[in-house]
Amino acid sequence: SICMLAVMTMVAAGNNLMTTRQIFDSLDTSGPAVELAQGNLAATPGEYAWNESYLLDAYVAMYEACGDTQYLDRFVGRYRVLLTLRDDRTNTRDELNDRVMAAWSTTGYSKGRRTCWLVHAGMLTYSAARFARLVKERNSLQARFGKTAAEFIAATEETVAAYDPDWREGPNPDEGYYIAKTLEDKHQPLNQQNALGRTLLDLAAATGKPAFRERAAKLAAFLKRRLRLRSDGAFDWAYWPPLQPPYDKGNEDISHAAINVDFAVRCYQDGVIFNKADVQRLAATFLQVVHKGDNRFADTVGGDPGEKFTAQIGRWGNLAIVDTRVAEVIHNYFRGRKHDPALKTNMLTLATLAKYGY
C-alpha cells in the first residue's frame, strides 16, 4: 500500500521514528463518537464544523492513502451519530430561516439566534459525499458499505436541498451563488459557499445526477473570476469579494482560503472550470506567498505577516497533486512537533501527507 511502501518517516516527540500513519493512529483516541451527543456541544452541533469535520475528512483521506477499510468504519460510526444531531431529527427550528432544516444549527456567529449556516452544512457533509463516491467507484467497497453509502447520499441530498431557496443564478451567465439571512440576504463569502461546492462535486459523482455538477461548476466560475493574478504568477483574492468588479481589495486568511483552494483542486480533478495551470498558480500562492521559509507562514493569501493560522496549512495539502513541494513544505513544518489530539486539523494534515507519500 502507499502507506507502507511510500510513506516517509516523521520524527515524533521523544525522537522516536514513526511513520505518518503510526502518528495518526497514535493520536486517534476519538472512540465511537458517543461524546458527540454529550456535553455542551450537543446543544449547538453546528460547532462541529470546525473540528469534527476535519476528523471525518481525515478518516476518508486515510482510507484513500492506505486502502484500509478500518478508517471508513471509524468514519461511518461517527457520522451516524452526527446525523442524529441534525435539526430535522431533533425537531429544532432555525430561528432566522423560521423552519426546521436538514442541517446543523448553532447559536454561535449569529448573535445568539439559532441558525443553520451553509458553510457548516458543507463542512459536515463533504466527508459523507466523498465516502459515497468512493463506495460507488470501488467495487471492493460495495458489499460492505453500499447500503450505508445510499443512506448517507439520501441524507446529504436532503441537506443540499435545504439550501435551495438561497441559490441565485448570476451575476454572469455561467455563475451562481448562495445568499443568507445571516448576512442580510447578501451573497455568501467564497469559502462559505464553496464548502458545499465540494459536497456537490462528490454528490454528482456518487449519484450521477448532473444538477449537482452544474451547480458546482457555477460556484467554481464565480470563484475563478474573482481570483487575482499577481505579477509573480500566483493568485490572491478577497475573503468576500463583491458580486460585480472590481475585485481588487482584501486578502483572505489562509484558514478560510484553504476551503476555496481545496474546492478548486477538486474541480480540477473532475474537469470542472479549473485547469492545471489554475491549480499550479494556487500552488504558487502557497509556495511563494504563504510560505515565508524556515517553517514560517503568512496569515493571508496576500502574504500579510502573522502566525495566527499556521496550524491550518495542512488543509492546503491537496495542491500536492500538481506540485509535490506543497506536501514537502507541510511535512517539514509538522515533522518533530508534538501534535495535540484535540486539534483535528492535525489528523487531516497527517492523512493528507500519507496520501502524497509523506
Side-chain angles (χ1 to χ4, degrees), residues 163-238:
Y163 293 92
D164 283 348
D166 299 334
W167 176 255
R168 299 292 182 271
E169 301 284 337
N172 291 293
D174 61 339
E175 296 177 345
Y177 59 93
Y178 285 94
I179 63 166
K181 285 189 168 53
T182 46
L183 307 172
E184 299 175 351
D185 287 340
K186 295 176 184 175
H187 64 289
Q188 300 254 5
L190 294 174
N191 78 89
Q192 295 197 21
Q193 56 190 20
N194 292 336
L196 193 68
R198 297 186 306 170
T199 297
L200 292 168
L201 284 172
D202 284 337
L203 203 51
T207 64
K209 296 180 181 178
F212 296 129
R213 184 182 172 97
E214 289 164 10
R215 186 166 288 189
K218 290 179 177 180
L219 288 171
F222 188 96
L223 169 63
K224 184 173 176 177
R225 199 163 275 123
R226 286 156 185 80
L227 300 178
R228 305 179 302 240
L229 184 59
R230 296 162 45 105
S231 59
D232 59 6
F235 279 136
D236 61 19
W237 61 94

Side-chain angles (χ1 to χ4, degrees), residues 340-353:
D340 179 2
L343 191 64
K344 303 309 180 188
T345 49
N346 287 337
M347 304 289 283
L348 181 55
T349 297
L350 291 164
T352 304
L353 287 172

Side-chain angles (χ1 to χ4, degrees), residues 143-163:
R144 184 169 181 177
F145 295 108
K147 185 176 178 182
T148 303
E151 173 193 338
F152 288 0
I153 285 172
T156 304
E157 288 193 72
E158 290 168 351
T159 299
V160 169
Y163 293 92

